[in-house]
Amino acid sequence: MTPAQQILATAAFQAYNAMETTKKRHLDLMLAIDKRGKKFNLTATDAEVDMLNRLLKDHDAQVEQFKLESDTLKSVNPEAHLAMFKYVGEIHTMLDAFVQDEPGH
């Protein structure tokens, strides 16, 4: 892989990581609000709804950035693109095995 291709591969994987982070933030807040609502019969405050919306916008922007970076990598180095997705798949397969063992899953 050339240095330029390595930079593209790194950018694509960093965009993937950012996308995963924004997804987790949004989901964590949504689940916390839902759990509190079920436990105490409370609805989300205006500030919480606003934050949920902002976090979703953050995530949507990261999804677009990842798509751009991924498509660029695929056009320049299809093998690196495939390797990145294989690695991402391995990460999720490994993590999913642990999540399955958690209570409630």
Side-chain angles (χ1 to χ4, degrees), residues 53-71:
N53 289 332
R54 290 167 52 200
L55 291 174
L56 183 57
K57 285 180 184 176
D58 290 347
H59 179 61
D60 289 346
Q62 286 305 143
V63 169
E64 288 299 316
Q65 185 64 34
F66 174 64
K67 181 170 179 1
L68 175 69
E69 300 290 350
S70 176
D71 289 349

Side-chain angles (χ1 to χ4, degrees), residues 25 39 45 52-53:
R25 285 179 188 152
K39 187 173 183 178
T45 66
L52 275 174
N53 289 332

Side-chain angles (χ1 to χ4, degrees), residues 12-47:
F13 192 64
Q14 286 175 341
Y16 170 79
N17 287 331
M19 182 181 69
E20 284 288 295
T21 297
T22 57
K23 174 183 168 184
K24 182 170 178 8
R25 285 179 188 152
H26 181 259
L27 185 60
D28 285 351
L29 182 57
M30 187 171 52
L31 291 173
I33 292 168
D34 184 60
K35 182 178 179 180
R36 184 195 62 202
K38 288 178 181 175
K39 187 173 183 178
F40 299 108
N41 197 27
L42 297 172
T43 58
T45 66
D46 289 343

Side-chain angles (χ1 to χ4, degrees), residues 2-16:
T2 69
Q5 290 173 333
Q6 181 62 46
I7 289 169
L8 291 174
T10 299
F13 192 64
Q14 286 175 341
Y16 170 79

Side-chain angles (χ1 to χ4, degrees), residues 70-83:
S70 176
D71 289 349
T72 300
L73 179 61
K74 186 176 183 179
S75 70
V76 172
N77 189 331
E79 296 83 18
H81 180 264
L82 184 61

